[in-house]
Amino acid sequence: MTDSDYKIIVGLEIHVQLATRTKMFCGCELAFAEDPNSRVCPTCLGLPGALPVMNAQAVEFAILTATALNCKIAEFTKWDRKSYYYPDLPKNYQISQYDLPIGSNGFIEIPLSDGQTKKIRILRVHLEEDAGKNVHTSGNFSQVDLNRAGTPLLEIVTEPDMNSAEEVRALAIELQRIVRFLGVSQADMQKGHMRFEPNVNLHIERGGSTSKTPITEVKNLNSFKALEKSVAFEAVRQFDEFLDTGICLQSGNKKTFGWDDVKEVTVLQREKEEAHDYRYFPDPDLVPVVVNEEWLERIKTKLCELPLKMQSRFISEYGLSDYDAGVLTTDKEMAKYFDDTVKTGADAKRVCNLITQTGIKIANEKGCGVAQLGIEPTRLAALAKITDDGKISATAAVTVFEKMLESKDSPDKIAQQLDLLQRSDEGELEKIVDEVITANAQAVEDVKSGGKKSKKAHGFLMGQVMQKSKGKANPQIVAKILGSKLGS
Amino acid sequence: MAQNKIDIEQVKQVAKLARLDLTEAEISQFTTQLGAILEYVEKLNQLDTSKVEPLAHCLPINNCLRADEVKESLGTDKTVTNAPQTDGRFFLVPRILEESGGF
């Protein structure tokens, strides 16, 4: 290597598919994996004479998201035609927003691995329509499916404020949480609901001066993993290329690379013969959008506590670890369910364990969310309480949790029915402890003599008591009695 | 005649962007015609518009919105029935060699 040092500079262009029922400018239902060309109409086919009409829900989702991303909301915005020719674009132009995006000058706060957060500036947020899909086949023809044509997309462009592959991944995950919390997108990467295109280059310090490498845009990223790896790969590739060629950033030398998911490398895409000339101009088919104070306020009532804020509240207020708080806030319903349960007075860590270790697993098996399992916050709190009080063991709590899915009885009653209540009666337990002590003189000796064997022998005696009680003795109380009897 | 507002190279470029295959004679003809149109439109530059807001739309209305309600789509059969080429399910277009989807 050399003595040069580099800094990675990354900005993201993101497309988020909005969770409306219908398309951006027509009433065709949004459908995934439907029969090809079944969800189309004259408008999204771009047939002559058909006129687009804005979907109010899509506009409101866009404003809501831009607000959550701390953007300035345009009071006046309009639609523009972006011209280009491709078989998946039936009108030969895409309806988009050019010079007056719905939102601008915002920021998103992302969590860093050291527990700090970083603000990444958002340049703009605008609405546009998606194109259809080309299904490539053999022979002389390509098949075109226009079901996706006209789907509302929110395009979000960040400033080049990210300086590592990890930060890029953190932003992607944070944005996914935000749009899911807001309910504006299902944000499923595999289904193409979120598409990330990083723009990457390096600032290389060498011999007291800074050199900038040419910017590359990376496409074809279908997972968070691919996104993160592609940025890390590009950094190394660009550094090597710079050492080889010394070529620096110039206007016009930006290149597009595609990510190869199998080989895990970026591949240069064929250079365009000419720079794109989109010839933007205002779409005469659509009238402008004016966002007045009253409308904006009405949309803002749909804002909620955002995931990162909720996560830090769970840490500061409930004493959860960053990891646990992060897991609970991946999903708004789950986060709220947890919050509601704890607010009834249950121990936060216990409730967290019940949800993250038992609830999520069962919910995944059932294909629903934890909050939809049918266990109300008050009943979950009651389960947490009897577990904390030592009435049932942590293992038994899992059994009771499962039973609660079918039964509306209280956890207490279910534990009774299943004979899972721990014995905490000190007199009764003392009798068992005494029997165990009498029957295991050697182990008792080992405990009393201390040293290496002591701990093992203590564990053995505990085990004997638990066995004699058929697993129902409250371990804390048994340990207490054993301790006082053996002076350990 | 004043210098033409558009030259042959620009016409070729616009034709290429519009995927039009023009003959040399057509290029020459359109260069003259487009030049005349641009010259005519340039009359507008005689007006002082420095204090005029750009117009986004010629109608004095805004916010024509519709509720997010599903309307019946055409369905595959009707959709592809008038397609120049179809296999009954998809539109068929000349094989696309380059993966360069627009945005």
Side-chain angles (χ1 to χ4, degrees), chain A residues 21-23 26-27 36-37 40 53-56 84-86 136-137 140 142-144 284 286 288-290, chain B residues 17 57 62-63 65-66 68-71 73-76 79 85 87 89-91 93 95-96 98-99 103:
Chain A
R21 295 178 61 209
T22 66
K23 292 187 178 180
C26 64
N37 296 304
V40 287
V53 187
M54 283 175 264
N55 183 336
Y84 68 92
Y85 288 76
Y86 205 65
H136 295 269
T137 44
N140 291 324
S142 292
Q143 297 173 313
V144 178
L286 288 156
V289 181
V290 173
Chain B
L17 288 170
H57 201 275
N62 51 52
N63 295 4
L65 299 157
R66 66 180 175 84
D68 186 20
E69 284 162 9
V70 175
K71 291 230 173 83
S73 298
L74 289 176
T76 308
T79 300
Q85 266 168 321
D87 56 9
R89 300 168 69 223
F90 293 95
F91 292 96
V93 297
R95 185 177 162 82
I96 301 158
E98 184 193 7
E99 186 53 59
F103 42 98

Side-chain angles (χ1 to χ4, degrees), chain A residues 423-440 461 464-469 473-474 477-482 484-485:
Chain A
R423 291 197 209 153
S424 301
D425 180 80
E426 292 204 23
E428 193 188 339
L429 290 179
E430 196 174 344
K431 233 160 73 189
I432 301 176
V433 172
D434 283 340
E435 282 168 35
V436 169
I437 286 177
T438 316
N440 297 281
L461 293 175
Q464 289 297 304
V465 176
M466 293 309 286
Q467 207 174 27
K468 264 194 173 311
S469 72
N474 181 333
I477 295 174
V478 174
K480 200 180 92 187
I481 299 171
L482 258 180
S484 70
K485 290 206 180 266

Side-chain angles (χ1 to χ4, degrees), chain A residues 54-67:
Chain A
M54 283 175 264
N55 183 336
Q57 182 70 81
V59 175
E60 293 191 355
F61 278 170
I63 294 171
L64 182 64
T65 311
T67 306

Side-chain angles (χ1 to χ4, degrees), chain A residues 275-293:
Chain A
H276 270 299
D277 182 354
Y278 292 126
R279 290 157 290 152
Y280 282 100
F281 70 96
D283 191 328
D285 286 348
L286 288 156
V287 296
V289 181
V290 173
V291 185
N292 62 25
E293 195 64 22

